[in-house]
Amino acid sequence: MSTATSNSRAATLKDEGNAFFAKKDYHEAIAKYTDAIDIEPTAVLHANRAQCYLSLEMYMDASADGRKATELDPEYSKGYVRFATAEQKLGNLRTSIDNWEKALKTASQVQKADISIALSKARKAKEAQDDPQSLANKVHIIPDAASQQMPWTSIEGIISDLKDREEWFSSAFVVREAEEASSSEFQRAQSLMSLKRRDGARLGGRCGAIEAYTNCITSDKRMFRILSSDFIKDYSEQVMIESQTRKAWPHEGPSEIKTAVVERLKSQSWDQVRPALSLTIRCWIMKGYVMNSTNTNESAGLEFLQRAIDMLEWGRVTFPSVPHQTKGVIFTDTFYRAVRLLKLDCVMHSFKAPVPTTELEAFYEEVSEILKEVTASIEAKTYGERRLGTAGHILCFYDYHLAEAHALTGLYHAQVANNLRTNGAAQEEYWAHYEKATFSYNRAAKAVPEDDEFHAWYLNASLTNASQCPCPVNYHIETIKRMQVAIPKMEKIWKNSTLAMAGRDDNMKKMMKPLDELERMVRDGECKGNTFMKFD
């Protein structure tokens, strides 16, 4: 095809893309722009496709296209605008500000006013982000003194006793697994982040912190802690260090990375490619988790987690015959499932009542798939026998995954019930979902040890839903008594957890309060244990 013909074809595709964009058919517009880019990549085409991605809230892809547009034509202001907008949505405010400033320099007089306003907003957001008190208001920072009273300092004597009795179903092993797989590494991560040097403008240091933090989050996110208000700044610098060393892809979008991985593997081994790919995906996981847990930018946080999941799926499908030990632990079933549950937990916390039915059903479909997978793994005992060296891993990546899937199922039914009741549905219709929520949370409690706070907490959630529908009196009595048995065991390890600081104990005391009155009613013959009652 001649150059003139190619240019003509690319121009036609661009016009077709513009037409689809005008109709807000962004997916078709992206397809047309992509075909045109394959023929003749230009700043305008990349900027146009970036705008489509922005409209679809696909900010990582928009950022990659915006960046490419600025590289192809440094004088094209819209490229900087697209790049700045996407980076701001992703929480990368320093990069956003830099590109708003460049957009202002290259813009026409007509565009300058809007760009100046956007730049001012980005600068104010950066000031707020850099304020140490801002982080302190969003996340519990655990100083060294308080750290001495947390779960990871409470388990040594307990584990020794459990070992002597050969009892392996205890949350003490979960804490130790998270500490050994992550949190002893977590301490290493803190040390690594302090071992930085500056050589002119170049920042140097050691690698491993990002792996340590993501191991912590995927083993048991309760073990993740922030010890300093400087964490965000230190962590950002650590990402730069490790990305340079590992030759990762800190700025590229998923599509670019997939192509780059395949190309690198043509000339490099997995030993060279694996660190770069693993670090890239782990950075997304970390950023998504931190954004959501600190309520910094929930939509962008969910995008990072979903893109990490998409990349894991891609790697598992594209390289099925490559062993996990070769392509990386991130592609194992347990790690993959842990990230999916992490995303679903973030989705759950982002729900705002009333939750749209389409969102609830998509959520339930994902949860059900995980529940089916982990149930099959446990029934097949794919993890081997429980013993000192395996107890924590089995609990973290099988029992607790099962419990979380049951709990998320319970949440789904509770949300459906709330929607039905709000919309004036018949009582029997929403009672049925409260009942399903009741027993889903009960199953979740059974999947975790009595000495884990989640055991009593899931029972509490079960009672909360049971109180919203007719339920046997005996169920309330028996569940409260199970909580009474579990709480003293829980307090030996989890007395000062983050959940406790959020009001866990007062909430449970409230749900346990009716016990004496319920037992009196049965004893005095006012009702029978199998009498169905609803408690408001």
Side-chain angles (χ1 to χ4, degrees), residues 1-21:
M1 186 182 294
S2 67
T3 301
T5 303
S6 296
N7 291 347
S8 175
R9 178 59 182 154
T12 299
L13 288 166
K14 174 178 172 290
D15 290 341
E16 291 173 357
N18 291 347
F20 280 118
F21 181 85

Side-chain angles (χ1 to χ4, degrees), residues 55 115 131 135 151 338 342 395 418 453 466 497:
S55 299
I115 293 173
D131 181 3
L135 180 63
L342 189 67
L395 281 160
N418 290 342
E453 62 180 346
S497 72

Side-chain angles (χ1 to χ4, degrees), residues 130-414:
D130 289 345
D131 181 3
Q133 190 58 42
S134 175
L135 180 63
N137 289 337
K138 291 176 179 176
V139 65
H140 184 66
I141 299 175
I142 303 174
D144 289 338
S147 182
Q148 299 306 311
Q149 306 167 27
M150 300 300 282
W152 48 87
T153 63
S154 309
I155 61 170
E156 287 311 313
I158 295 172
I159 283 185
S160 178
D161 184 47
L162 291 166
K163 180 182 174 183
D164 291 342
R165 300 200 310 267
E166 295 190 355
E167 293 182 10
W168 311 122
F169 197 66
S170 166
S171 66
F173 293 111
V174 173
V175 175
R176 192 173 80 163
E177 174 72 16
E179 287 291 289
E180 289 184 348
S182 59
S183 219
S184 59
E185 290 186 27
F186 176 88
Q187 296 298 335
R188 180 167 64 88
Q190 298 289 331
S191 301
L192 288 172
M193 282 174 43
S194 66
L195 293 173
K196 293 178 290 196
R197 66 182 189 281
R198 288 191 180 274
D199 181 13
R202 185 180 178 84
L203 190 65
R206 293 169 55 190
C207 295
I210 313 304
E211 180 180 1
Y213 283 129
T214 49
N215 282 347
C216 179
I217 292 166
T218 53
S219 294
D220 189 324
K221 55 183 175 289
R222 292 174 293 178
M223 295 300 104
F224 177 75
R225 61 249 194 206
I226 291 176
L227 304 180
S228 166
S229 58
D230 292 329
F231 173 81
I232 298 296
K233 178 178 73 68
D234 290 343
Y235 175 77
S236 297
E237 291 182 347
Q238 186 66 30
V239 170
M240 291 171 57
I241 292 167
E242 297 202 27
S243 294
Q244 291 169 0
T245 304
R246 304 291 194 195
K247 294 181 171 58
W249 296 276
H251 307 300
E252 287 76 8
S255 298
E256 288 180 293
I257 294 170
K258 291 173 185 177
T259 301
V261 168
V262 173
E263 284 302 310
R264 279 197 196 179
L265 285 171
K266 291 178 181 178
S267 58
Q268 298 178 8
S269 70
W270 271 104
D271 287 342
Q272 295 169 293
V273 176
R274 181 179 61 249
L277 182 56
S278 176
L279 177 64
T280 300
I281 294 174
R282 286 176 182 271
C283 284
W284 294 353
I285 294 168
M286 182 69 180
K287 189 152 192 174
Y289 173 72
V290 170
M291 279 184 158
N292 278 278
S293 62
T294 60
N295 299 314
T296 303
N297 188 333
E298 290 179 353
S299 62
L302 285 171
E303 181 180 359
F304 277 113
L305 290 171
Q306 184 58 58
R307 292 313 182 89
I309 292 167
D310 293 343
M311 286 297 294
L312 293 175
E313 289 176 351
W314 173 81
R316 285 160 63 90
V317 170
T318 306
F319 309 105
S321 60
V322 179
H324 292 317
Q325 60 265 34
T326 300
K327 62 186 175 187
V329 69
I330 61 172
F331 294 105
T332 59
D333 291 344
T334 50
F335 189 93
Y336 175 54
R337 188 166 61 233
V339 179
R340 290 155 69 200
L341 283 168
L342 189 67
K343 188 208 82 169
L344 288 169
D345 184 66
C346 291
V347 170
M348 173 190 74
H349 285 103
S350 72
F351 281 159
K352 302 289 190 298
V355 184
T357 300
T358 53
E359 290 184 25
L360 276 175
E361 294 309 315
F363 176 82
Y364 182 59
E365 184 177 349
E366 289 188 66
V367 172
S368 298
E369 185 178 332
I370 291 175
L371 183 57
K372 182 179 178 181
E373 288 174 13
V374 70
T375 299
S377 294
I378 290 174
E379 289 176 351
K381 272 196 161 183
T382 58
Y383 46 73
E385 294 299 320
R386 297 179 192 266
R387 58 181 188 277
L388 183 60
T390 65
H393 178 80
I394 294 169
L395 281 160
C396 281
F397 293 100
Y398 293 91
D399 298 310
Y400 280 48
H401 284 186
L402 178 64
E404 189 165 3
H406 278 307
L408 292 173
T409 302
L411 176 112
Y412 161 77
H413 286 296

